[in-house]
Amino acid sequence: MRSIRIQSAGVLLFLVTLGVGVFSAEFSLFAADWPTYRADAQRSGFTTDGLPETLSLHWQSQTAHAPQPAWPRSTRLTYDRVNHCVIADGRVFFGDSVSGKIQALDLSTGNPLWEFFTEGPVRFAPTVWRDQLLVTSDDGQLYALRAADGNLLWKHQGGPRAEMVVGNERVISKWPARGAAVVVDDVVYYAAGIWPSDGIYLYALNAKTGKEIWSNTDSGQIYMPQPHGGANANSGISAQGYLTVAGDHLLVPAGRAVPASMNRLTGKFEYFHLQKNRAQGGGDTVVAGELFLNSGVVFKAADGEAIAKSAGGPAVALPDGLVEANKGKISRYQWVETENPDRKGKLVRSKGLKQIWTVKQTHPSAALIVAGNKIVSGSKEFVEVLDLESGKQLWSTAVDGVAYGLAASRSQLVVSTDQGHVYAFGRTTEVPASRDSQTKQAAKSPYPADSAAAQAAAEIIERTGSNKGYCFDIGCGDGALAYELATRTQLRVVAIESDAEQVALARQKLTAAGVYGSRVMVLQRPLDQTHAPNKVANLVVSGRSVTEGGSGLPVQELKRLQRPYGGFICYGKPGKLKSEQRGAMTGAGEWTHQYADAANTLCSNDKLVNGQLSMLWYRDFDFVIPSRHGRGPAPLFSEGRLFHEGNDGLIAVDAYNGHELWRFEIEGVLAAYDGDELMGASGTGSNYCLGGGFVFVRHEKHCFQLDAATGRLVHTFEVPPSKNPEAEKSRQPWGYIAWHDGMLIGSAADPRHIVAYRYHATTGDMTKQLTESNRLFAFDTKTSKLKWQYESEDSIRHNAIAIADEKLYLIDRPLAEFDRTKESRRNPIPKTAQQHPTGQLLCLSIHDGYVLWRNKEDIYGTMIAVSAENDALLMSYQPTSFRLSSEKGGRLSVFNSSTGEKTWEAKANYSSRPLINGKTVYAQGGAWNLKTGKPQPFNFKRSYGCGILASCENMMFFRSATLGYYDFNKNSNIENYGGVRPGCWINAIPAGGLVLVPDASAACSCSYLNKSWFALETQTVK
């Protein structure tokens, strides 16, 4: 098979030339029902069952809360923007992404028939097979329910174990079942797991019994090309979206990427063309015979090769053509037979699409289906029906929200919106008497106001101060304590109970109270084996203990859940509560400055991160960050808090569960970094740091001192006046920033020295990316008083300042004037023009600025780092892929940090910023003993990665296509945590016993499978 793309608009969209055979389309046509998402296993969006030309509202219902999408900002992962409905046997079925319920309504009246609780958000439409309803949940299960009454027939666990994580702000399975079920030939297919490195599990089951026919459990671990050219990683498929069938090909949606294909009969992996389609993927897959459409591209189902582009909007595959909407237009195309010459001039028969008509829309389509000879378009606050033959509008109506969900059956149209509404429209002559059978009801508390649970909740809050984050109620009883805590605080409560009757009662009462799902979720588990994630709970309580006391509680399980750095356990009867607060984790490192510490070691000294990594939490934030090519400052960590900076401010996050703590707005603070191919923090250094329980953020001529726990502004420092009258004519901006031993160190940046970074484009602002200063100063943060200033003889590069053990080290050196000249590969700066005189290396007392020693002998370096424990100072270059012209590389030197005497020097071919880990210097290209300079074994080689290396005691982290990590103890091959794109400098930091990875992929269109903030922990064998 080969393809020919025709460019003439309005005639043929594309042609597919078949070497042999005749074009065939597989459509599972249901004369009366809409049994699965988009009607059939091909997700065609087409049914032969028609609709009347005019419709009337028969009924409407509304869920207690609007749907909560997993990825609300994503334009690719859009599967759960509404609660999609299916229709069968006179019933409407849908799941709920808030409560985790599956519900059945009467199609004629909208009256509720039954409901079934899963233990996680239900993000996909069910599938009806005969008398069964098959539905997946974020709890990792595929459920088979009897369609008539919702009774459980069987269920199947997708992941290998019952472990849970905090995923998308919910406590869910580590392997959520987000590969939505599809049924063909009495076999149901589904998938669990979205993070390749934790495992992706695909199944074919007997639809009647749930017995496995085949399973594919190794497609997450495939060494394969990643979206960037030349980038390879051990990172296979994901599973997020609706599984789709094209003949014997099972198309598995791979999150933000194009679908992968498995052999439907055997489960064998067939193809996943990720790198070839580096900027495509996500959304619905629609099968049209031997082709499928995804993200505006037409692919051959046989081999997954892209052959043409489509309009890119919602589409419906018809037996004789295609209907597609995009950019305010709907068009209909029809398959036609043609003959076209192949490459050798031989005429071969072809199938192509001929445009029949196109019409403009007042309300652009967000969703599209075809029912008989009618097109139904859903849009923002509007639904319309068009004639399939002419495109003429026949009927329209207003709705509340965006009508992403459409289904048609028995001459009725069911519409669901992103506000939680479900509407049923039908013949005007068949309007039922009651049309508002399930409107939203006001919540009423089923719990007594003066109960023991209310007293206990008040006492717990007063004693612990817990107000935000995650609370686990172990032994929740009827949910009374969970309810009281949810209504008095902003805590999200996970209530766990072993007694099935109590679980059902708690769910019933909490639903009536209007907090179920949105604030409280009840899970049935043994109390001593909750399978909840480690160390994520800000508060652990027990509803049972309020009346029974704490005897018999699994205290060790409670402690396992307790968050370090302040998490509370509190249980017992009112007035006799027992409480315990957890402190810092022994061996947990911090990352308080751009390069881990003020010493620039690039090593957090965390001793706990060690071994294979696994997911702890993941989520997205509505927080705008600079373009990944702007190389913004690194994230920071201290005392259980993760800090990350965006274009207009700073955000603080609970490092152990991803809960947002606070934000501090500084308009435009990183606007200069928001662009392509900029130098960014690689040259400027960071603009913020941590120390003494504070966050210090410099912006323009100021530095804000914030309370790290609350984000409250404590003090604002100003760049102090210079003793030099010329410099003082224009107050300089704040440049370097660091904190050490109660001292805030800053510098007055030189605004005249603007490097012409050789790759920078017209975006961003290089005039504010300053790399050199001519004055250092120090403030005492307790008194806010200026302690001292140091005026440079020449200039101080920000990368050439390091602080350790109450000493500040710097290189005072003439400017590299040629860094101001923009160069390229075609127009390099001549070597004769690259003259950079040496300077002097100095050591100052941090408390008074007194010069303790200086060394003027061949001080060539552009960066320094210090190891106080080894009494060693490293001088080198920063010769990364995006280096300045002065970063020559090829040389390393180490000095005695107490005396300034050179200890050793080596020629070295390295291509990253060197780091100091214990007694070893590591860089991409080699390792050396810090004391002697002797080369050390270092079997390190990574795939494509533009960032630098960041380490802790046992491991090192970096970009290697996806996130790469290296175990120093193994000293062997790198490993990957796949499916995600790290940033272009530092954004994976090992600290607090975790690997913390805020999103740093802004402005990247590449189809990495997931785009997320996340935290990894060392995997424990269970």
Side-chain angles (χ1 to χ4, degrees):
M1 181 185 279
R2 71 182 186 87
S3 65
I4 307 169
R5 185 174 178 192
I6 304 299
Q7 300 294 333
S8 52
V11 182
L12 292 178
L13 180 64
F14 58 86
L15 295 177
V16 180
T17 305
L18 305 177
V20 292
V22 180
F23 180 89
S24 64
E26 291 187 26
F27 290 94
S28 302
L29 304 181
F30 297 86
D33 290 338
W34 188 277
T36 189
Y37 176 70
R38 293 185 56 80
D40 51 43
Q42 291 72 41
R43 314 298 186 187
S44 69
F46 171 74
T47 176
T48 56
D49 202 24
L51 291 171
E53 289 196 1
T54 58
L55 299 163
S56 294
L57 178 66
H58 281 198
W59 54 264
Q60 71 179 84
S61 76
Q62 185 179 2
T63 54
H65 304 278
Q68 295 176 356
W71 309 102
R73 294 200 305 159
S74 178
T75 57
R76 294 188 180 188
L77 300 178
T78 58
Y79 46 77
D80 57 348
R81 294 177 296 190
V82 299
N83 300 323
H84 287 286
C85 299
V86 298
I87 308 170
D89 209 16
R91 302 180 183 94
V92 178
F93 304 96
F94 60 91
D96 186 349
S97 60
V98 178
S99 68
K101 288 191 298 186
I102 303 158
Q103 301 177 65
L105 308 180
D106 185 282
L107 176 60
S108 298
T109 65
N111 292 330
L113 300 175
W114 56 258
E115 63 183 23
F116 177 90
F117 286 88
T118 74
E119 294 197 332
V122 176
R123 302 192 180 279
F124 300 92
T127 290
V128 179
W129 175 80
R130 297 186 182 177
D131 61 347
Q132 292 181 199
L133 195 70
L134 300 158
V135 62
T136 56
S137 168
D138 269 9
D139 65 13
Q141 304 278 351
L142 170 68
Y143 293 87
L145 309 177
R146 190 157 54 210
D149 55 19
N151 285 338
L152 178 66
L153 300 174
W154 56 262
K155 65 180 180 178
H156 186 271
Q157 178 177 289
R161 298 179 298 278
E163 291 173 45
M164 294 192 288
V165 297
V166 181
N168 303 117
E169 302 179 76
R170 302 294 294 268
V171 177
I172 61 174
S173 170
K174 180 174 280 191
W175 301 276
R178 291 194 188 170
V182 65
V183 181
V184 175
D185 298 335
D186 301 335
V187 178
V188 56
Y189 304 89
Y190 87 105
I194 68 172
W195 296 97
S197 297
D198 274 322
I200 305 298
Y201 298 86
L202 294 108
Y203 298 97
L205 310 178
N206 181 297
K208 183 175 181 58
T209 65
K211 184 177 180 180
E212 286 188 21
I213 297 170
W214 59 253
S215 64
N216 182 319
T217 62
D218 56 6
S219 291
Q221 296 293 305
I222 305 173
Y223 189 77
M224 59 178 289
Q226 298 300 304
H228 285 79
N232 294 277
N234 192 30
S235 174
I237 72 168
S238 180
Q240 280 201 89
Y242 287 91
L243 272 63
T244 307
V245 172
D248 288 341
H249 305 284
L250 179 65
L251 302 177
V252 180
R256 298 176 67 252
V258 294
S261 178
M262 308 290 160
N263 184 289
R264 184 172 64 83
L265 305 179
T266 66
K268 183 179 179 181
F269 173 81
E270 293 180 328
Y271 58 77
F272 180 34
H273 301 309
L274 178 59
Q275 192 175 97
K276 287 183 180 179
N277 302 283
R278 57 181 292 177
Q280 280 81 41
D284 286 329
T285 297
V286 177
V287 172
E290 298 179 6
L291 306 173
F292 68 87
L293 284 70
N294 179 271
S295 65
V297 181
V298 183
F299 301 89
K300 294 185 292 182
D303 55 16
E305 292 295 325
I307 62 170
K309 294 198 175 196
S310 67
V316 178
L318 306 175
D320 65 346
L322 194 73
V323 175
E324 195 165 22
N326 192 34
K327 297 181 179 179
K329 293 181 180 180
I330 292 183
S331 302
R332 182 186 174 187
Y333 302 92
Q334 188 173 51
W335 293 111
V336 292
E337 294 271 358
T338 64
E339 284 191 341
N340 291 276
D342 61 16
R343 292 178 181 177
K344 296 182 179 179
K346 180 181 177 181
L347 291 176
V348 292
R349 288 193 310 157
S350 308
K351 283 284 183 180
L353 285 171
K354 179 181 180 181
Q355 189 178 89
I356 304 301
W357 53 256
T358 185
V359 296
K360 291 184 178 180
Q361 295 178 284
T362 306
H363 300 83
S365 294
L368 208 63
I369 65 170
V370 173
N373 61 355
K374 308 291 193 307
I375 300 171
V376 183
S377 171
S379 57
K380 184 177 181 180
E381 300 180 342
F382 195 76
V383 177
E384 63 179 330
V385 174
L386 309 176
D387 181 74
L388 178 63
E389 298 304 318
S390 65
K392 178 184 176 182
Q393 186 187 82
L394 302 175
W395 173 85
S396 66
T397 189
V399 293
D400 185 6
V402 183
Y404 290 115
L406 303 172
S409 173
R410 302 175 186 264
S411 299
Q412 288 186 272
L413 173 66
V414 176
V415 177
S416 50
T417 78
D418 63 352
Q419 298 303 304
H421 294 279
V422 177
Y423 300 88
F425 301 94
R427 298 184 189 279
T428 57
T429 58
E430 299 175 0
V431 179
S434 176
R435 298 170 58 187
D436 295 302
S437 59
Q438 206 181 354
T439 53
K440 189 174 180 179
Q441 301 294 319
K444 296 180 180 179
S445 173
Y447 301 103
D450 57 350
S451 66
Q455 297 174 41
E459 189 175 340
I460 289 168
I461 295 166
E462 182 179 3
R463 180 175 294 195
T464 67
S466 299
N467 185 56
K468 292 183 177 181
Y470 289 82
C471 170
F472 283 75
D473 183 353
I474 308 301
C476 70
D478 69 351
L481 181 59
Y483 168 77
E484 295 294 344
L485 289 171
T487 54
R488 295 165 186 254
T489 69
Q490 299 178 51
L491 290 163
R492 179 178 286 278
V493 184
V494 180
I496 296 178
E497 178 54 63
S498 57
D499 185 291
E501 291 185 2
Q502 288 290 300
V503 168
L505 181 61
R507 287 173 176 166
Q508 178 187 354
K509 288 187 172 184
L510 292 165
T511 298
V515 298
Y516 192 76
S518 62
R519 298 297 307 284
V520 185
M521 198 76 173
V522 181
L523 310 179
Q524 185 175 348
R525 301 281 194 282
L527 301 190
D528 60 347
Q529 297 180 48
T530 65
H531 304 293
N534 297 318
K535 53 184 179 295
V536 300
N538 301 88
L539 176 65
V540 185
V541 299
S542 173
R544 281 191 195 178
S545 74
V546 171
T547 56
E548 300 174 9
S551 61
L553 275 180
V555 177
Q556 285 305 116
E557 181 69 355
L558 272 60
K559 289 184 175 182
R560 183 184 68 81
L561 303 178
Q562 191 180 11
R563 174 195 182 275
Y565 301 98
F568 271 97
I569 295 174
C570 197
Y571 61 89
K573 296 182 178 181
K576 297 181 180 180
L577 290 176
K578 295 180 180 179
S579 64
E580 180 181 328
Q581 186 175 22
R582 186 173 180 181
M585 291 178 67
T586 303
E590 298 207 328
W591 198 283
T592 60
H593 290 69
Q594 174 70 18
Y595 300 114
D597 46 37
N600 297 335
T601 62
L602 267 173
C603 181
S604 71
N605 289 328
D606 189 291
K607 297 175 173 60
L608 303 179
V609 176
N610 187 14
Q612 188 172 349
L613 300 175
S614 188
M615 186 60 68
L616 177 64
W617 64 260
Y618 58 90
R619 63 165 295 184
D620 192 18
F621 284 92
D622 186 10
F623 186 68
V624 179
I625 58 174
S627 168
R628 78 283 185 210
H629 286 162
R631 292 172 183 80
L636 305 179
F637 169 90
S638 181
E639 298 182 343
R641 305 181 191 99
L642 168 67
F643 302 89
H644 197 37
E645 200 170 11
N647 286 11
D648 296 303
L650 186 73
I651 187 171
V653 172
D654 189 320
Y656 293 95
N657 56 40
H659 175 72
E660 181 178 331
L661 300 173
W662 53 261
R663 297 188 187 201
F664 186 81
E665 184 178 347
I666 311 174
E667 186 176 355
V669 67
L670 290 186
Y673 294 76
D674 191 16
D676 267 343
E677 309 301 357
L678 301 172
M679 175 192 60
S682 71
T684 65
S686 184
N687 70 326
Y688 76 122
C689 66
L690 311 178
F694 300 105
V695 186
F696 300 92
V697 191
R698 60 110 171 132
H699 179 52
E700 297 177 345
K701 299 171 183 177
H702 317 288
C703 177
F704 304 107
Q705 180 182 5
L706 311 178
D707 182 278
T710 65
R712 178 179 62 88
L713 178 63
V714 175
H715 186 73
T716 300
F717 294 91
E718 306 285 342
V719 175
S722 172
K723 297 176 183 178
N724 184 336
E726 288 298 317
E728 192 52 28
K729 288 180 180 178
S730 176
R731 188 69 63 86
Q732 295 168 263
W734 195 300
Y736 173 84
I737 188 170
W739 183 93
H740 182 80
D741 196 28
M743 304 296 291
L744 173 64
I745 310 300
S747 73
D750 183 356
R752 299 167 301 172
H753 185 72
I754 300 170
V755 297
Y757 188 57
R758 65 181 181 179
Y759 296 116
H760 88 270
T762 57
T763 53
D765 187 353
M766 292 298 294
T767 66
K768 293 185 178 180
Q769 296 189 21
L770 303 177
T771 61
E772 302 269 349
S773 291
N774 48 35
R775 182 161 44 100
L776 280 176
F777 47 81
F779 289 96
D780 186 319
T781 55
K782 289 183 179 179
T783 65
S784 302
K785 291 183 178 180
L786 180 69
K787 298 293 289 185
W788 56 264
Q789 293 197 65
Y790 168 83
E791 300 274 354
S792 66
E793 293 184 18
D794 291 297
S795 185
I796 307 167
R797 189 175 292 216
H798 298 164
N799 280 333
I801 307 171
I803 306 170
D805 198 22
E806 301 185 21
K807 298 182 181 69
L808 184 149
Y809 305 87
L810 64 96
I811 294 176
D812 191 339
R813 184 183 181 191
L815 294 169
E817 303 284 359
F818 54 92
D819 277 342
R820 300 183 192 178
T821 303
K822 185 168 172 26
E823 69 168 330
S824 65
R825 290 189 177 93
R826 290 185 176 183
N827 298 297
I829 299 173
K831 289 188 177 181
T832 55
Q834 297 184 32
Q835 300 299 316
H836 192 186
T838 59
Q840 56 179 323
L841 179 65
L842 297 93
C843 174
L844 312 182
S845 167
I846 195 169
H847 290 287
D848 57 19
Y850 180 77
V851 177
L852 300 175
W853 57 255
R854 70 178 73 219
N855 185 332
K856 296 185 177 182
E857 297 180 9
D858 192 22
I859 304 302
Y860 63 85
T862 58
M863 64 144 283
I864 59 174
V866 182
S867 172
E869 62 180 345
N870 292 295
D871 203 12
L873 182 149
L874 169 69
M875 179 177 72
S876 62
Y877 293 101
Q878 186 175 269
T880 63
S881 300
F882 301 92
R883 70 185 73 186
L884 292 175
S885 302
S886 58
E887 300 286 2
K888 299 180 183 300
R891 194 175 176 187
L892 292 168
S893 301
V894 170
F895 300 81
N896 183 299
S897 60
S898 297
T899 65
E901 295 179 1
K902 185 181 290 186
T903 303
W904 59 266
E905 182 171 321
K907 291 183 178 180
N909 183 20
Y910 58 96
S911 57
S912 69
R913 184 182 177 106
L915 64 88
I916 300 175
N917 189 326
K919 296 182 179 180
T920 308
V921 177
Y922 292 98
Q924 184 171 333
W928 301 265
N929 183 285
L930 181 61
K931 287 287 191 179
T932 66
K934 182 179 179 180
Q936 304 294 296
F938 188 39
N939 301 318
F940 174 74
K941 185 179 181 181
R942 63 170 166 169
S943 182
Y944 176 83
C946 55
I948 60 173
L949 316 177
S951 75
C952 59
E953 184 173 290
N954 297 298
M955 302 184 75
M956 186 168 67
F957 303 89
F958 41 85
R959 184 177 177 204
S960 182
T962 65
L963 176 63
Y965 59 97
Y966 181 90
D967 190 324
F968 290 120
N969 300 311
K970 292 180 181 178
N971 195 21
S972 58
N973 296 332
I974 69 167
E975 298 179 70
N976 289 101
Y977 194 85
V980 68
R981 182 208 194 283
C984 290
W985 197 242
I986 298 175
N987 87 292
I989 58 170
L994 304 172
V995 181
L996 299 164
V997 193
D999 179 44
S1001 64
C1004 181
S1005 61
C1006 291
S1007 300
Y1008 287 88
L1009 314 184
N1010 295 302
K1011 181 182 172 68
S1012 180
W1013 293 49
F1014 61 95
L1016 305 175
E1017 62 177 344
T1018 301
Q1019 185 172 10
T1020 55
V1021 178
K1022 296 186 178 181

